[in-house]
Amino acid sequence: MTTMTDAALAEFKMPDVGEGLTEAEILKWYVQPGDAVTDGQVVCEVETAKAAVELPIPFNGVVRELRFPEGTTVDVGQVIIAVDVAGGSGSAAAAPAPVSLPEPAAPEPEPAPQGRQPVLVGYGVSEASTKRRPRKGDVVAAPAAVTQPAPAPSPEPEALAKGNGRPLAKPPVRKLAKDLGVDLASLTPSGPDGIITREDVHAAVAPAPERVVTQVQVEERAQSQEPVATAPAVVQDGVRETRVPVKGVRKATAAAMVGSAFTAPHVTEFVTVDVTRTMKLVEELKADKEMQGLRVNPLLLVAKALLVAIKRNPEISASWDEAAQEIVRKHYVNLGIAAATPRGLIVPNIKDAHAKTLPELATALGELVSTAREGKTSPGAMQGGTVTITNVGVFGVDTGTPILNPGEPAILAVGAIKLQPWVHKGKVKPRQVTTLALSFDHRLVDGELGSKVLADVAAILEQPKRLITWA
């Protein structure tokens, strides 16, 4: 992804940061023309249809020009930054200003050669793609005291990294601040180690936009109606419609859903089940020493129930190869979990979930959820899924007719668990009840097979001891 235009100038092209991705949006530049860069230093953050990724530069030198401003969608293979690898100050100074960026970079001192340890998906590094990168301020704090007085252009020290002009915030928080028009440098961080949180950004805008309100949980919405009631104040007088560019996760989701809906013939079946015993088991597991510190909730047992049902009905684990006119049987399960994130809906999956014990499955679920919330889910984590669970119950919804994730044979929707009158042992009693919905590809799955899988999941949740007897 690097070209040499002359003896002193190297060009860095937008790499394919996933598998077969064709474009990415530049979210943030971390360098400006005239800045020195070192091999492996992160120079920008980009967002693809699958993940937010930081791009390290593969050589040393001085930035000559940035070819695109923040917010621009760039095709893979286009040059995004030019670097004077000779490192001559004269070359850098003589270079014309390339693009008028929205704002100049904070006055960062030149980074030390032992900078970050970034990971770039697509450069062949598969591990640590969800790890948090070291903060730039931790590396350059010492040089900051040697060079020009760092505080001169930065009057808001509370929200800035130590010895650095860049506020500390995670990528989803930066994206949120950009969408709401909030200057991170003007905020007072409330998070640990001086990190700006989503709450800090929300507190800076009153009222919060409706787009953000729709992403909070139903319980939070019920506690405070202020964001909903005052949201129209954000819209300028006379403006009745707003157009939002379709890109990133939303663009990919739209294409995938349309392709799935009009390619795979969907069938959805429903069953209502008494999950009182499962809810009691959840409470018992929370108190179990073997499960201490793990994420134990109803979704964990639903996932285990689905895995057991697939083991009892292995024909459902398959995919349709249209080109070869073949059905591909899969003797493994990569379990996808639909997750609503600040970037939109994503479906990361747990690799080889069928081979995991309950504690291992709980650990994998916890890591999947926390990584998704931080916006650090890697493209590889969202590929190769074989079946998906979507938990619409967290929004208080009874059930739905979920659309298949492309290439997968089935998706299970889990509805809200509610206390309802139920006939139990011949008497009407209040029981905890939920509704399950299983959508499946009718090319692969006949009604009998789909019904067996759904019935097995329901039977396990009604009598969770079947997790032992059937497994």
Side-chain angles (χ1 to χ4, degrees), residues 318-343:
S319 63
W320 184 273
D321 189 335
E322 182 67 29
Q325 286 295 291
E326 294 176 340
I327 294 176
V328 183
R329 301 290 185 193
K330 299 183 178 180
H331 309 297
Y332 60 91
V333 180
N334 290 343
L335 180 62
I337 304 295
T341 73
R343 298 178 56 246

Side-chain angles (χ1 to χ4, degrees), residues 327-455:
I327 294 176
V328 183
R329 301 290 185 193
K330 299 183 178 180
H331 309 297
Y332 60 91
V333 180
N334 290 343
L335 180 62
I337 304 295
T341 73
R343 298 178 56 246
L345 177 67
I346 62 174
V347 188
N349 60 76
I350 300 172
K351 309 299 183 188
D352 294 324
H354 66 286
K356 296 187 181 298
T357 63
L358 193 64
E360 291 172 343
L361 188 61
T363 300
L365 273 172
E367 292 174 351
L368 180 148
V369 171
S370 61
T371 301
R373 285 178 176 174
E374 293 175 0
K376 291 296 184 180
T377 302
S378 67
M382 292 182 280
Q383 295 168 353
T386 61
V387 69
T388 294
I389 296 176
T390 176
N391 186 11
V392 298
V394 296
F395 304 108
V397 176
D398 291 332
T399 190
T401 55
I403 296 178
L404 295 169
N405 207 26
E408 297 182 9
I411 179 171
L412 178 70
V414 184
I417 298 175
K418 299 179 180 179
L419 199 64
Q420 297 183 15
W422 193 264
V423 178
H424 178 67
K425 296 181 179 180
K427 297 182 180 179
V428 177
K429 297 181 179 180
R431 304 287 287 180
Q432 292 177 299
V433 178
T434 190
T435 299
L436 307 175
L438 183 72
S439 291
F440 51 85
D441 184 344
H442 217 339
R443 297 174 302 177
L444 294 164
V445 183
D446 294 332
E448 178 185 10
L449 177 58
S451 299
K452 285 182 177 179
V453 172
L454 183 59

Side-chain angles (χ1 to χ4, degrees), residues 243-259:
R243 291 183 175 268
V244 179
V246 179
K247 56 185 178 180
V249 173
R250 176 53 54 194
K251 183 177 180 179
T253 300
M257 293 299 97
V258 170

Side-chain angles (χ1 to χ4, degrees), residues 113-128:
Q114 304 87 357
R116 312 162 184 262
Q117 299 295 327
V119 173
L120 173 59
V121 178
Y123 270 28
V125 182
S126 59
E127 61 181 7

